[in-house]
Amino acid sequence: MTGNGGAAVALRGATLRFGRHVIWQDLGLDIAPGECLAVLGPNGAGKTTLLKVLLGLLPLSAGTVTIDGQAPRRGSAQAGYVPQQRDFDRDLPIRGRDLVQFGVDGHRRGLPFTRARQVDAVIAAVGAQDYADAPVGLLSGGQQQRLRIAQALAGRPRLLLCDEPLLSLDPASQESVTALLAAYRREHGTTVVIVTHEIPPAAGFFDRVLYVAGGRWAAGTPDEVMTTEALSALYGTHIDVIRVHDRIIVVGGEDAAGHHHLPPGDHTGHQAGGRERR
């Protein structure tokens, strides 16, 4: 865990409850500038909820959270957000360029001509020039997702929050979108938090994993967290973690069952944050 002063995101004793139901508690984690954190866990574990906290949409029940040393604020330009993939209505009368424009106008920075150049630049950055003027409802899922990413990057955020950005995409589009995120992160030093069921299929894209389940959590590299021992301790019951080629299969009841893809290669990475796995 890095020092609080140098963290892009710092959570201290972070707890969120809805009534008597604990989503997660005592979450203590630093995310370093330029780091990519994959957030994993079963449905309903609070993965998307964590993004809402970082976006300033939900207050914590206890503890603190800061982004670059400041409390999250709703609508702040410091965080860009890529929502879950949802197909647009085929008859929606807006172009891809208009969708990206919303990301610029939302912060109203600069004169109209300056903002138009900013839209052109971010469309080029995600490689969407060829279809930027087409109706978004007629584009493929991968093309739509590139434009959503462009919209999130239009405000030039230091922190990019992605909620299942690969969901419902075919393997080729998954690889393309992941490569896009990895390239932007590499070029701009952007910190990335990505909620996912499938760890992105690009080697070196993510640095650590935060696994949340049943109100508890564990953080570290995939080799530290995605083990039978670590997940059994997290769930409080026996969980089998099986590795088959580039896939990790988690087996242990309906709530825990799932699978996660890992890129090939060594996954020892950085030292674990939060509850260290040794």
Side-chain angles (χ1 to χ4, degrees), residues 109-185:
R109 298 194 303 182
L111 298 173
F113 178 71
T114 301
R115 296 201 302 272
R117 288 197 305 175
Q118 192 172 337
V119 168
D120 289 338
V122 76
I123 286 174
V126 302
Q129 305 97 310
D130 291 346
Y131 46 85
D133 292 304
V136 291
L138 300 182
L139 301 177
S140 69
Q143 290 171 334
Q144 290 180 4
Q145 199 67 331
R146 279 179 174 265
L147 289 166
R148 285 190 179 92
I149 293 170
Q151 182 186 36
L153 297 177
R156 300 172 184 167
R158 295 168 58 88
L159 172 66
L160 182 63
L161 307 173
C162 304
D163 192 359
E164 297 282 5
L166 309 182
L167 192 66
S168 301
L169 298 183
D170 60 67
S173 294
Q174 286 187 1
E175 186 172 351
S176 174
V177 168
T178 301
L180 165 62
L181 291 171
Y184 191 90
R185 174 200 172 201

Side-chain angles (χ1 to χ4, degrees), residues 8-9 31-39 50-52 54-55 67-68 76-83 107 122 126 145-165 177-186 188-195 205:
V9 177
I31 307 174
E35 182 177 13
C36 180
L37 179 77
V39 183
L50 176 60
L51 299 189
K52 291 180 179 179
L54 297 179
L55 287 167
I67 298 176
D68 287 336
S76 171
Q78 63 185 336
Y81 176 57
V82 181
H107 305 294
V122 76
V126 302
Q145 199 67 331
R146 279 179 174 265
L147 289 166
R148 285 190 179 92
I149 293 170
Q151 182 186 36
L153 297 177
R156 300 172 184 167
R158 295 168 58 88
L159 172 66
L160 182 63
L161 307 173
C162 304
D163 192 359
E164 297 282 5
V177 168
T178 301
L180 165 62
L181 291 171
Y184 191 90
R185 174 200 172 201
R186 184 170 56 250
H188 298 274
T190 306
T191 305
V192 179
V193 178
I194 177 171
V195 168
F205 178 64

